[in-house]
Amino acid sequence: MTIPLDAIDPDAGYRSWMQRFLWHVDQLPNLVEATGTIVVAARGVRAAPIQERLTGGGYVDNMPLVDGPESRNARAVWDATRAYIAKASSHLGMEGPILPPVLPDDVQLARDWAYAANEWLAAIAPHILAWPDLDELEEALFRLIRRARARVDAGTVRRARPELCVVCAQEGVLVDWVDGPGGTAQLSKVCKVCGQVYSEGEAA
């Protein structure tokens, strides 16, 4: 029989949620920069005389590059971030950054706005209570972030230092969140030194 971690440590659930929350919002600036660069480049392609199209699977898709998955993912992440900030601001009575209605063409400007969103969300995280509508928006936003990261090489931003591995005794255990069954967040902990994989809830 598995004993829930909360039964041993009542604050474990909150710490796990906080770690997960901060990991996702910390990815926003790099993700927006990576997807935004693709979107801006794609707009340039569409404006050019050559109608470049995506290829894959041995055939030419009938989808223009600007309307490809990266472009849609970038817009979806941007819209979901705006929606979450607006709802959280309303609940907390705190003014949050008002992101432009659409992803800016200027990639650096978009990244600056994403940093503003990241900093504000990280600051208000300890004050967020269990509002059902916020939970729903949070899940939608984080799922979009994971999906977009799976498609582009945005790198991973890490707020916390790697954890100590019990196998090789090196500070090499990295924590990531990936899409599990049904698109839910699944914790992934792997030691970058020895390759030891830790199951969810297992301490490094």
Side-chain angles (χ1 to χ4, degrees), residues 23-102:
W23 185 93
H24 281 86
V25 300
D26 281 349
Q27 310 314 310
L28 279 171
N30 279 2
L31 180 59
V32 165
E33 181 178 33
T35 55
T37 299
I38 292 172
V39 171
V40 170
R43 287 174 183 159
V45 169
R46 186 173 65 172
I50 300 175
Q51 293 296 313
E52 178 119 12
R53 293 177 182 274
L54 292 170
T55 61
Y59 58 90
V60 178
D61 294 335
N62 61 359
M63 180 171 55
L65 185 58
V66 72
D67 294 325
E70 286 79 10
S71 177
R72 292 197 300 271
N73 287 339
R75 291 195 299 267
V77 169
W78 192 262
D79 291 344
T81 302
R82 291 182 71 246
Y84 188 88
I85 289 175
K87 183 64 71 173
S89 298
S90 173
H91 280 314
L92 296 172
M94 298 169 60
E95 185 177 353
I98 303 174
L99 274 61
V102 295

Side-chain angles (χ1 to χ4, degrees), residues 128-168:
I128 294 178
L129 301 177
W131 286 297
D133 54 346
L134 265 186
D135 289 344
E136 184 177 337
L137 288 174
E138 177 186 306
E139 286 301 323
L141 172 60
F142 291 175
R143 187 163 50 248
L144 288 168
I145 289 173
R146 293 192 302 274
R147 181 185 303 167
R149 285 190 71 256
R151 296 194 61 89
V152 297
D153 184 16
T156 302
V157 177
R158 301 190 184 280
R159 182 178 296 258
R161 293 181 57 185
E163 299 175 9
L164 187 68
C165 179
V166 297
V167 176
C168 67

